[in-house]
Amino acid sequence: MSHIADESSPNGAIFKRMLDSIEAGNQAMALEIAEELVNENKEAFFPYLMRAVAYCYMKEDGKALKDWMTSISLMEKNEKMDAYVCIISKSVSDLIIADEREFVDFDYLSHIDRVCETLDEHLECNCKGFVYLTVFTCFMSSYLGMEEDEKEQCGEIIPNLVQRTVAYSRDVSVIKDVVNECLGINDYDESTYEEDDNYDLYALSKIVEKIEKNLPDADRSEFPDMWTDAEMKTVLEGYLAAILACEGDTKPLEKYAKKSGTMTELDLAIEDYSRKYLRIR
């Protein structure tokens, strides 16, 4: 993350010093540096962003979330969003891993959702797909370097990040790449997915197939630019969750269909989901 800090600017140099303290294991010093900057300038977004990072590495997720939201509320619409999303995503990814290592409960999905919703509310950026992709990318970068026993401990995080990334990404190639990476690390084989207990991977792979198959029929005037995060939450998030929960029976789809009017048969639901995602009438 230190490569994001522009050391030629005063804030960048201070941020680099704070990150160096974190990397040296001195989180208390990192917090002290951030606190000093916040006290000097309570009306700028970057000091709160810095302090949120420090809180993440101190495993203070509640305080971090509060500062993420304060920093976002102070951002201007022309800020370098990509860089700051990277900072947030890397910090949250490392917090997830730290808590998993110590068996600490952390509702990271709600944490990330709140950050995304605040970003969208203040900056109108509909960024949830991008944020979840970036958290997933940061997480996988760490995961692939872990020892096998640690991979086993942290591996249950991956399906949740993949599910949210698939539900909110507006880029079909991103969805395909994320799902393929998930298939690859699990040595997925469609012919043995049932005995391998890989139903969720089977469903994701079929969703990708259907999206690619139906893509030429998508109305380009509506997909993907007309999606908002709020619409994707209403139309896609719950539907995808119901499809992925149908291991052994279709009761999750039947329950979801009662309030949404969607399909209750798995194959039809996957087809229907792909068409809804592509906004095909």
Side-chain angles (χ1 to χ4, degrees):
M1 187 159 54
S2 59
H3 69 282
I4 297 171
D6 179 3
E7 293 183 67
S8 65
S9 70
N11 279 350
I14 297 171
F15 188 46
K16 176 65 164 57
R17 186 157 60 91
M18 192 191 84
L19 292 178
D20 288 343
S21 297
I22 290 171
E23 290 175 6
N26 193 345
Q27 285 84 359
M29 176 59 73
L31 181 60
E32 185 179 319
I33 292 168
E35 289 272 19
E36 183 178 344
L37 202 59
V38 169
N39 291 333
E40 288 174 358
N41 192 347
K42 295 183 180 293
E43 302 303 319
F45 83 92
F46 198 72
Y48 292 98
L49 188 85
M50 287 177 56
R51 193 169 67 178
V53 171
Y55 279 137
C56 272
Y57 287 95
M58 296 181 77
K59 291 177 283 189
E60 296 273 8
D61 57 279
K63 292 179 179 178
L65 180 59
K66 184 178 179 180
D67 271 356
W68 293 137
M69 296 173 76
T70 300
S71 69
I72 291 165
S73 72
L74 294 169
M75 281 183 181
E76 300 291 337
K77 290 189 177 182
N78 61 352
E79 295 291 353
K80 300 174 182 176
M81 277 295 302
D82 288 5
Y84 301 128
V85 165
C86 288
I87 291 172
I88 293 169
S89 300
K90 173 60 175 169
S91 301
V92 172
S93 171
D94 286 350
L95 174 58
I96 293 170
I97 292 169
D99 280 349
E100 282 297 304
R101 284 170 171 160
E102 297 184 13
F103 303 99
V104 175
D105 287 335
F106 172 35
D107 189 353
Y108 54 91
L109 295 179
S110 292
H111 188 104
I112 298 167
D113 284 347
R114 289 286 300 282
V115 170
C116 294
E117 287 157 9
T118 304
L119 278 165
D120 187 30
E121 180 182 346
H122 185 65
L123 302 176
E124 299 178 347
C125 54
N126 292 304
C127 63
K128 194 175 279 190
F130 175 52
V131 173
Y132 268 104
L133 171 64
T134 311
V135 174
F136 171 78
T137 301
C138 292
F139 182 90
M140 291 305 299
S141 178
S142 298
Y143 176 84
L144 294 173
M146 293 177 182
E147 299 294 333
E148 288 304 315
D149 58 340
E150 193 172 17
K151 283 184 177 179
E152 186 174 348
Q153 183 179 348
C154 294
E156 65 184 27
I157 301 299
I158 297 172
N160 293 331
L161 296 180
V162 169
Q163 184 173 323
R164 281 288 209 276
T165 305
V166 169
Y168 285 99
S169 177
R170 294 166 178 76
D171 188 330
V172 173
S173 64
V174 164
I175 291 177
K176 183 178 179 180
D177 288 347
V178 167
V179 170
N180 283 342
E181 183 168 5
C182 198
L183 299 179
I185 63 172
N186 286 282
D187 297 321
Y188 173 74
D189 183 343
E190 184 177 336
S191 65
T192 60
Y193 81 87
E194 290 180 300
E195 55 247 56
D196 295 338
D197 196 24
N198 278 335
Y199 162 76
D200 56 337
L201 299 180
Y202 167 80
L204 285 169
S205 68
K206 291 301 178 184
I207 286 169
V208 170
E209 284 181 16
K210 290 294 184 180
I211 288 174
E212 288 192 304
K213 177 185 175 183
N214 289 323
L215 184 59
D217 296 330
D219 182 346
R220 298 293 183 160
S221 67
E222 290 194 353
F223 174 79
D225 295 334
M226 293 300 292
W227 274 122
T228 66
D229 283 351
E231 288 174 325
M232 295 178 105
K233 181 177 181 64
T234 300
V235 177
L236 300 177
E237 183 188 307
Y239 201 1
L240 179 61
I243 290 171
L244 295 180
C246 284
E247 184 169 7
D249 62 60
T250 58
K251 287 181 181 177
L253 272 176
E254 293 165 10
K255 181 179 179 180
Y256 184 76
K258 288 180 181 179
K259 61 180 180 180
S260 63
T262 50
M263 302 294 180
T264 57
E265 293 182 30
L266 182 60
D267 290 344
L268 293 177
I270 289 174
E271 171 72 22
D272 184 47
Y273 178 89
S274 74
R275 295 179 70 84
K276 278 183 166 54
Y277 170 78
L278 293 169
R279 301 178 71 96
I280 297 173
R281 296 184 181 89

